[in-house]
Amino acid sequence: MALPADISVSFDFSSGATFGYPFTIGDAKNGVLGTGTLGGTTVVEPIVDLTSIVRSITIENGRNIQSDTYQAGTAVIRVYDNDGSWNPQNTSSIYYPYLVPLRKIRVAATTSTAQEFLFSGYTTEYRYYYDQAENVGYVDIYAADAFRLLNLAQVTTVADSGAGQATGTRIGKILSQVSFPTNMRTISTGQSLCQADPGTLRTSLEAVKNAEFSEQGAFYFDGSGTAIFKSRNEVASSISGTPIDFNQTGGIPYKNLVFAFDDKLIINTASMQRIGGTAQVYQNAASVTKYFPHQYSAQNLVIDTDANALNIAATYVATRAETVIRIDAMTVDLLDPAVPTNTMIGLDYFTNVRISNIQPNGSTIVKTLQVQGLKWEISPNVMQCTVTTLEPIVDGFIIGSAERGIIGVSAMTY
């Protein structure tokens, strides 16, 4: 059965973080200034199309609901290798010795009207296998998105990072410190201000996540490999967008709905401490009485004042003091002709979805949630996506909203 989208996989042997064809002097296709990226390889054709030999693709990314943070997107791409070209130990391969870790790989889905990158990342491992008769080899190419690069690059003092800098600006300075490409960033300014960079040794990912948490915003890499930073207000207001309907009676069909009703996400006491400040504690007494204490603490935040550290604590608790029945995940089969392919390949973090489910007793549960994770399983006869969903990660007062426009129910953004 043909897949509803053309899936393509490209492997880029060039060095550097930027995706695209390297600039090659004298080349009619890749030698035009302003259209290519500077490359660092002598491979004749630095970008190779793997599509014809790919046999399966697994892509997974999302927000970890337990640690309450975005994790690196990962991919495993299985490639059949009839002639040994993709065996890293084969010195006769045309790709030897360029088949090394941290080369670039992308997975794209294309329809007649749209193209979306499902994954853009960097190889981390090659696992080579043979079939039982040892006639045909195949390699599983493991890859991770640019979270991997930021976790490998350490920083001490971040240049041009004085007191009073907005969180988004600080994140941009950190990315520049480790030479992450400026053309692969979409960074909002942010509402909160930072104190001067502490100048301590840490990974650049730790430094970015400190600023992200101090903002109560969101930092992640999208399917194209672009670094995205959303401010607190953007995160809070994103739930006001029109949701996509998933249901059993006319919306996008789904299966394997995962319900949960537990205390995993409850936080009713938060302690936030900035660098050089004192711990600021906020508690929801009613939640503590109802559910017993569920505590969270963070230290060494780059937020500028104790007052704003207390605001972070209040915002954090406001979104997490109660628990409700959750829909944690659903699986959508794109081979179902009722599923719109363009809609599914276009899903991203903060896409609003309205999931309706008819219960055995005839009642209906309806939840308006946000996409916070995507797991793709793709092979010649399979194309399905497991969508992880969450309540908004930052609650905010939204004028005109039936759910979040009631004073005293939603937290005011600061």
Side-chain angles (χ1 to χ4, degrees), residues 50-64:
L50 296 184
T51 306
S52 64
I53 57 174
V54 169
R55 290 300 175 263
S56 66
I57 301 168
T58 300
I59 300 167
E60 190 166 6
N61 58 47
R63 188 176 182 88
N64 185 305

Side-chain angles (χ1 to χ4, degrees), residues 135-355:
N135 295 319
V136 178
Y138 60 92
V139 60
D140 285 347
I141 303 174
Y142 286 73
D145 68 18
F147 269 123
R148 169 83 174 180
L149 303 185
L150 297 185
N151 199 44
L152 293 172
Q154 292 186 325
V155 295
T156 50
T157 302
V158 177
D160 191 22
S161 292
Q165 195 168 65
T167 48
T169 304
R170 176 63 54 87
I171 287 173
K173 298 296 182 183
I174 296 165
L175 295 178
S176 294
Q177 189 75 23
V178 296
S179 301
F180 191 80
T182 56
N183 65 340
M184 291 173 58
R185 308 179 196 175
T186 301
I187 307 295
S188 295
T189 302
Q191 275 72 52
S192 295
L193 300 180
C194 301
Q195 57 182 280
D197 182 76
T200 55
L201 181 63
R202 70 274 197 209
T203 69
S204 57
L205 182 58
E206 289 172 330
V208 166
K209 285 193 166 292
N210 191 323
E212 173 198 29
F213 191 87
S214 295
E215 170 70 23
Q216 288 293 285
F219 178 85
Y220 57 92
F221 289 91
D222 68 9
S224 70
T226 299
I228 306 293
F229 175 65
K230 292 183 178 292
S231 70
R232 177 176 63 255
N233 283 357
E234 288 175 313
V235 170
S237 63
S238 61
I239 193 62
S240 63
T242 303
I244 300 168
D245 282 306
F246 291 80
N247 60 55
Q248 301 147 301
T249 57
I252 300 175
Y254 57 79
K255 59 183 180 180
N256 300 337
L257 207 63
V258 178
F259 285 100
F261 185 50
D262 51 45
D263 70 340
K264 287 180 182 178
L265 304 186
I266 294 175
I267 299 292
N268 49 37
T269 304
S271 173
M272 305 294 173
Q273 185 172 5
R274 69 187 180 95
I275 299 169
T278 57
Q280 303 295 305
V281 179
Y282 186 89
Q283 183 179 85
N284 184 311
S287 176
V288 171
T289 299
K290 188 175 181 179
Y291 299 116
F292 300 99
H294 288 64
Q295 300 170 324
Y296 183 88
S297 63
Q299 295 81 37
N300 298 318
L301 300 179
V302 294
I303 196 70
D304 58 343
T305 66
D306 282 348
N308 280 331
L310 181 60
N311 285 334
I312 293 174
T315 299
Y316 205 77
V317 170
T319 311
R320 299 164 176 83
E322 262 298 340
T323 187
V324 294
I325 294 176
R326 303 194 311 273
I327 296 176
D328 284 350
M330 62 179 172
T331 300
V332 179
D333 186 355
L334 277 77
L335 297 186
D336 186 333
V339 173
T341 303
N342 285 356
T343 298
M344 290 304 301
I345 66 175
L347 293 180
D348 199 359
Y349 297 142
F350 299 101
T351 299
N352 294 322
V353 296
R354 182 166 49 225
I355 304 172

